């Protein structure tokens, strides 16, 4: 029967390996979108739609500033860069920089409706009865240095209100000017030309990222000396993050595997245990990867990073099995029989911990849970089904140093004469934890959990300085029953925002029909009627040309159709749903307070919302600890009774309680990711206690085996504490401290036996 099951498991492993190989042959599908790790729990579909559209609009574009001391070189290289990327199929031929023809179309669309178009400052002056100030301004523009004296425009727009309106439009990047059709800025003798790119592929697909970055670098390689480039775009950050994650996973996997190999060789001094241990790890990883690809279609780099740490836990069952080499048991069946109850309970409690991790709302952590849970089961089955058939290792004597250390730890926890030592050690731990308790700080800010590339952040800041980009992640969603109602609500919002922040809204480019009508009456009553006659006489003007009023007010659709204001497409989600973006925001609280109470207007703070979710899920993670405990206790009670179950769980529970304050002493905040690591500390620590509880004789071999298992866990999960990504670092540091504590306290579980 056992041989049949072993053969069946071999066939399943081979099928999983073939599945992975077939997919890998065409390129392993890796997901790099950091946002895919975050929960989607927005209960309002309107808000979620707005967030998604804004995210897509930003992620699907990239901005490059090309700079050189020679204006002609900068312009030529900007054109060459775009052409190179278009030819390579990496960006679309179209651009969101309006052409001269599009700008002419915009002017032609606006001009017939000029009577209802006013710059906000002009409108306020007229409302305050300061029409004379506009007359003075018009005269200075006509008679001043380089003044405007176009008789055709004056005949139709005597007070030059239309140019003032165009000049007040809040177009993006206020430091850039159109230089012969190219947005440019001169800074410290360098001419910078903006190249705006619309990506022709999925920005978070690793293959497209690699092709794009390779194409970008190839274009740079052909650049003349002295050329400088600055990059900004989600694709660049995602690619850098993916490289970092894969680099870390490779290093951690390599160190973990090498460390595990060295530990096995040093402990067992034989090639057989090493080969079988590697087989247990490999089968776990292959089956885990196959199941993840089948369920999710791709593997997130975060799952790959955490999955590399699976090595340290997957080998535990092999280490417990081969620990029996140091006993008189020479038959594989006897060795397995001795450890089977412990490794079975250990596997079940650890899988319960990972299953609880899978209950988190984070898609990335769900993949980690599936990957690790399946991998552990795969390694367990390899040990149970294959090891008894393949094990040929002879019995060996336990090294004296290891025997002495493990025997001493057993005595500390098991003998009455060490009671004082136990009490002093526990009091010291409690005092340290008490000192750290007052220093625990919640760290829920999502911006601190990411590992953004410092060079790219520096380039982003420089682009923002040069081009004047100041847009923040916060924005408003404005909803109404009709497009006109939405525009009217945007105008009310603009009145509240004045003086607090800059903003872009559709209504600033196309006023509502109501506002256009009011503007026309305001110009007629406050400017034309009292001032036009004297103004004409002073200039010697003929009677102004009276154009027939347009049949319809200026429409948003008409302006968007010109193609001169492409960013309007990201502000208009539908006729009844618009977005208002912010820039130059310095006081979010003041903006939030001043805009409260506006119908159909909601402030959206995606970064703040995610941080709030992280705080909420940090609280939920603590509840998951309780869920894990409730799931484990009945299983342990079935084996040890209710009192025994409590004693077996006590070491891991103590490690969970002590770890956060001890980390606080080191200056580490407590985040959702640290809380989720505690779920695994509970399950892994319970494993160690189970192995100790199963040993009725307190055999040093058991603690040596558990110590080896703990060491491999530290070589994997503990190494995550060295990650440059704060979230991963918090996870790893929690595992490092928690697992060590759980191991040191685990022998206390043997006291239930006597």
């Amino acid at each position: 029967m056992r041989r049949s099951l072993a053969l069946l498991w071999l066939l399943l492993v081979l099928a999983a390996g073939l599945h992975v190989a077939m997919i890998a042959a065409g390129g392993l599908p890796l997901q790099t979108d950091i946002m895919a790790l975050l929960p989607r729990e927005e209960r309002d579909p309107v808000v979620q739609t707005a967030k998604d559209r804004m995210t897509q609009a930003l992620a699907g574009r990239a901005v490059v500033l090309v700079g050189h001391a020679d204006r002609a070189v900068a312009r030529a290289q900007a054109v060459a860069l775009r052409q190179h990327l278009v030819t390579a199929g990496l960006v679309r031929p179209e651009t969101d920089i309006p052409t001269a023809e599009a700008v002419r179309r915009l002017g032609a669309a606006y001009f017939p409706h000029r009577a209802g178009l006013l710059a906000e400052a002009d409108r306020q002056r007229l409302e305050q009865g300061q029409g004379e100030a506009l007359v003075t301004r018009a005269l200075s523009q006509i008679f001043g240095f380089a003044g405007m004296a176009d008789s055709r425009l004056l005949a139709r727009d005597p007070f030059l209100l239309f140019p003032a309106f165009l000049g007040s439009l809040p177009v993006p990047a206020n430091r850039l000017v159109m230089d012969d059709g190219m947005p440019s800025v001169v800074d410290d003798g360098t001419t910078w030309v903006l190249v705006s790119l619309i990506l022709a592929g999925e920005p978070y697909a690793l293959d497209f990222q690699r092709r794009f970055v390779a194409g970008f670098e190839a274009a740079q390689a052909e650049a003349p000396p002295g050329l400088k480039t600055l990059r900004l775009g989600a694709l660049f950050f995602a690619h850098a993050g993916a490289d970092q994650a894969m680099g870390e996973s490779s290093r951690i996997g390599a160190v973990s595997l090498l460390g595990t190999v060295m530990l096995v060789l040093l402990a067992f001094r034989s090639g057989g245990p090493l080969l079988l241990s590697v087989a247990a790890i490999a089968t776990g990883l292959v089956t885990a990867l196959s199941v993840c690809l089948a369920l999710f279609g791709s593997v997130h780099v975060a799952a790959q990073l955490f999955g590399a740490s699976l090595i340290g836990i997957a080998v535990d069952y092999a280490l417990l099995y081969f620990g029996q080499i140091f006993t008189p048991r020479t038959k594989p069946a006897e060795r397995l029989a001795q450890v089977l109850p412990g490794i079975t309970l250990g596997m079940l409690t650890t899988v319960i911990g990972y299953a609880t991790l899978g209950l988190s709302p984070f898609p990335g952590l769900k993949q980690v849970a599936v990957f690790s849970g399946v991998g552990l089961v795969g390694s367990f089955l390899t040990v149970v089904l294959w090891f008894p058939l393949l094990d040929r290792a002879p019995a060996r004597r336990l090294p004296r140093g290891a025997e002495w250390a493990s025997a001493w730890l057993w005595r500390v926890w098991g003998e009455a004469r060490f009671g004082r030592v136990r009490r002093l050690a526990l009091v010291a731990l409690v005092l340290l934890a008490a000192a750290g308790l007052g220093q625990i700080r919640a760290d829920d800010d999502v911006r601190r959990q990411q590992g953004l590339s410092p060079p790219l952040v520096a380039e982003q800041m420089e682009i923002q300085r040069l081009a004047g980009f100041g847009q923040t992640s916060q924005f408003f969603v404005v909803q109404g029953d009709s497009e006109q109602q939405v525009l009217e609500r945007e105008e009310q919002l603009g009145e509240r925002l004045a003086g607090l922040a800059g903003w872009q809204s559709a209504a600033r480019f196309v006023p509502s029909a109501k506002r256009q009508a009011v503007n026309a009456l305001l110009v007629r009553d406050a400017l034309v009627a009292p001032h036009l006659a004297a103004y004409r006489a002073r200039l010697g003007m003929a009677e102004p040309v009276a154009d027939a009023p347009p049949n319809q007010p200026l429409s948003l659709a008409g302006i968007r159709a010109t193609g001169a204001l492409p960013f309007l497409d990201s502000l208009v989600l539908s006729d009844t749903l618009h977005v208002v973006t912010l820039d130059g925001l310095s006081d979010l609280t003041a903006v939030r307070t001043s805009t409260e109470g506006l119908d159909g207007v909601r402030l959206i703070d995606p970064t703040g919302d995610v941080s709030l979710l992280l705080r909420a899920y940090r609280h939920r993670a603590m509840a998951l600890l309780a869920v894990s405990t409730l799931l484990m206790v009945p299983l342990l009670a079935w084996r040890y009774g209710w009192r025994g179950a409590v004693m077996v769980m006590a070491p891991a529970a103590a490690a969970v309680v002590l770890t956060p304050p001890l980390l606080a002493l080191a200056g580490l905040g407590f985040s959702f990711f640290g809380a989720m690591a505690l779920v695994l500390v509970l399950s892994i620590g319970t494993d160690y206690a189970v192995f100790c509880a199963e040993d009725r004789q307190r055999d040093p071999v058991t603690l040596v085996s558990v110590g080896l298992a703990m060491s491999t866990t530290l070589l994997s999960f503990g190494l995550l504490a060295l990650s440059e990504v704060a979230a991963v670092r918090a996870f790893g540091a929690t595992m490092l401290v928690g697992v060590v504590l759980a191991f040191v306290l685990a022998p206390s579980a043997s006291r239930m036996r006597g």
Side-chain angles (χ1 to χ4, degrees), residues 231-311:
R231 301 159 295 167
L232 175 60
L235 179 144
F236 295 114
F237 282 102
H239 180 263
D243 274 355
Q244 176 182 321
M246 288 187 292
E248 287 185 357
S249 66
S250 298
R251 291 191 295 273
I252 289 171
V255 172
S256 180
L257 184 58
L258 180 61
T260 300
V261 167
M262 296 299 296
L263 276 175
V264 172
L265 284 176
L266 289 173
F268 304 116
R269 291 163 290 171
S270 173
L274 173 61
L275 291 176
L276 289 179
S277 297
V278 171
I281 295 170
T283 53
L285 292 176
V286 168
T287 52
L289 186 56
S290 177
V291 170
C292 270
L293 290 172
L295 290 179
F296 303 107
S298 64
V299 179
H300 199 284
V301 291
Q304 185 186 31
L305 176 60
F306 282 96
S309 304
L310 178 64
I311 294 171

Side-chain angles (χ1 to χ4, degrees), residues 200-379:
E202 169 54 49
Y204 296 114
L206 188 60
D207 178 64
F208 180 74
Q209 289 174 10
R210 286 172 172 166
R211 289 193 296 113
F212 186 92
V213 171
F216 183 83
E217 291 176 349
Q220 284 188 302
E222 300 173 0
L227 190 76
K228 294 178 280 188
T229 57
L230 299 171
R231 301 159 295 167
L232 175 60
L235 179 144
F236 295 114
F237 282 102
H239 180 263
D243 274 355
Q244 176 182 321
M246 288 187 292
E248 287 185 357
S249 66
S250 298
R251 291 191 295 273
I252 289 171
V255 172
S256 180
L257 184 58
L258 180 61
T260 300
V261 167
M262 296 299 296
L263 276 175
V264 172
L265 284 176
L266 289 173
F268 304 116
R269 291 163 290 171
S270 173
L274 173 61
L275 291 176
L276 289 179
S277 297
V278 171
I281 295 170
T283 53
L285 292 176
V286 168
T287 52
L289 186 56
S290 177
V291 170
C292 270
L293 290 172
L295 290 179
F296 303 107
S298 64
V299 179
H300 199 284
V301 291
Q304 185 186 31
L305 176 60
F306 282 96
S309 304
L310 178 64
I311 294 171
I313 301 179
V315 77
D316 286 2
Y317 313 126
L319 294 174
L320 266 293
Y321 174 90
F322 282 116
Q324 295 303 303
I325 287 176
F326 303 117
T327 69
R329 302 177 185 91
T330 57
K331 294 181 180 181
E334 293 177 350
R335 292 172 177 174
L336 179 62
Q338 178 65 23
V339 300
L340 185 59
I343 64 174
T344 302
L345 275 176
M347 181 272 293
L348 290 175
T349 54
T350 306
V351 169
I352 285 173
Y354 275 112
T356 307
L357 194 70
L359 296 177
S360 76
F362 287 67
L365 287 181
K366 292 181 188 296
Q367 280 201 25
V368 171
V370 171
F371 191 101
S372 301
V374 172
L376 290 177
V377 172
S379 297

Side-chain angles (χ1 to χ4, degrees), residues 427-620:
V427 167
L429 276 175
V430 170
L431 289 176
L432 280 173
L437 197 61
Q439 298 183 38
I440 290 181
R441 57 177 178 82
D443 187 8
D444 302 313
D445 191 335
V446 67
R447 291 168 295 189
R448 287 197 293 269
Q449 307 303 323
Q450 303 178 58
L452 299 180
S453 165
L456 287 176
V457 171
E459 289 187 38
Q460 173 182 322
M461 295 177 64
E462 183 65 2
I463 287 177
Q464 290 174 337
R465 183 188 72 82
L466 289 169
F469 292 150
Q471 186 170 319
T472 66
S473 61
Q474 296 86 8
F475 60 91
F476 284 93
V477 168
V478 183
Q479 195 173 11
D481 296 329
S482 65
E483 183 176 86
Q484 287 303 313
Q485 187 179 58
V486 174
L487 291 174
E488 291 172 13
R489 288 176 172 177
E490 286 181 8
E491 289 163 349
Q492 296 172 9
L493 172 63
E495 293 173 359
R496 301 279 187 94
L497 290 175
L500 295 176
W503 74 99
Q504 281 189 342
S505 67
R508 298 193 75 178
F509 297 90
V510 180
S512 66
K514 180 179 179 181
R515 174 63 60 85
Q516 292 180 52
V518 169
N519 284 346
L521 291 175
L522 192 60
V523 170
R524 186 194 67 184
D525 297 339
L527 187 60
V528 172
H531 300 292
L532 181 58
Y535 180 76
R536 282 173 46 222
R538 182 170 182 176
L539 294 179
M541 286 175 54
E543 186 73 25
V545 177
D547 293 337
N551 295 327
Q552 298 291 334
L554 179 66
S555 70
L556 189 54
I559 293 301
R560 292 176 65 188
T562 65
L565 301 174
F567 52 86
L568 279 180
D569 293 339
S570 62
L571 300 180
V572 180
L573 306 185
S574 71
D575 288 345
T576 58
L577 182 64
H578 290 187
V579 166
V580 175
T581 59
L582 299 169
D583 60 68
L585 180 61
S586 58
D587 191 342
L588 180 61
T589 301
V591 168
R592 190 187 302 275
T593 301
S594 68
T595 56
E596 286 179 353
L598 290 177
D599 291 337
V601 176
R602 281 174 289 184
L603 177 63
I604 308 301
D605 181 10
T607 302
D609 290 347
V610 173
S611 296
L612 289 175
L613 281 174
L614 285 177
R615 181 176 67 181
Y617 289 130
R618 175 169 50 82
H619 297 157
R620 287 193 194 179

